[in-house]
């Protein structure tokens, strides 16, 4: 499983492999699903397992990487985005200990 190309990938059809592209079967867009077909459409999605979530996160990472970190003149953008993201993450992790230090008008 690791180190192998996806089953839907065909070099003759798709060209060079791009890790940011989903090569699986395209599903029907939500805008084209009829109301009576909605439960079946939701259950037919193959994205309800941890492997699919990992693959989606990997594709998102490679899309971000190709757009912000890998261009020749990317500048400071990826570093600033990572710094802001890490700051937000650590703020959420430490919110319970930080919230006790609020300034209150009345101390009872």
């Amino acid at each position: 499983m690791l180190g192998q190309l996806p089953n839907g990938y065909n070099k003759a059809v798709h060209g060079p492999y791009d890790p940011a592209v989903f090569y699986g079967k395209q599903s029907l867009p939500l805008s084209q699903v009829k109301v009576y077909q909605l439960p079946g459409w939701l259950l037919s999605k193959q994205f309800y397992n941890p492997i699919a979530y990992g693959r989606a996160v990997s594709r998102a990472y490679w899309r971000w990487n190709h757009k912000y970190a890998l261009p020749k003149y990317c500048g400071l953008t990826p570093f600033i985005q990572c710094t802001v993201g890490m700051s937000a993450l650590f703020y959420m992790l430490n919110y319970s200990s930080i919230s006790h230090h609020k300034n209150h008008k009345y101390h009872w």
Side-chain angles (χ1 to χ4, degrees):
M1 196 74 175
L2 279 174
Q4 295 179 357
L5 296 173
N7 293 336
Y9 173 71
N10 183 357
K11 187 173 184 177
V13 174
H14 299 108
Y17 178 71
D18 184 6
V21 174
F22 178 65
Y23 290 106
K25 180 179 162 253
Q26 297 292 325
S27 65
L28 190 65
L30 179 60
S31 62
Q32 296 178 5
V33 175
K34 308 260 189 299
V35 175
Y36 70 91
Q37 295 173 334
L38 189 61
W41 181 80
L42 288 172
L43 292 175
S44 70
K45 302 295 269 178
Q46 306 244 342
F47 305 119
Y48 296 119
N49 59 31
I51 294 172
Y53 286 127
R55 290 175 181 162
V57 168
S58 175
R59 285 193 304 273
Y61 164 75
W62 280 105
R63 283 186 190 131
W64 176 84
N65 205 10
H66 287 155
K67 185 173 184 179
Y68 294 109
L70 293 180
K72 188 173 183 180
Y73 301 108
C74 65
L76 294 174
T77 305
F79 302 109
I80 293 171
Q81 288 177 347
C82 288
T83 303
V84 169
M86 293 298 280
S87 298
L89 175 70
F90 284 111
Y91 180 79
M92 287 188 294
L93 290 174
N94 293 318
Y95 182 75
S96 61
S97 62
I98 295 171
S99 63
H100 297 296
H101 298 286
K102 292 179 184 174
N103 291 329
H104 295 285
K105 187 172 180 180
Y106 300 106
H107 301 280
W108 351 26

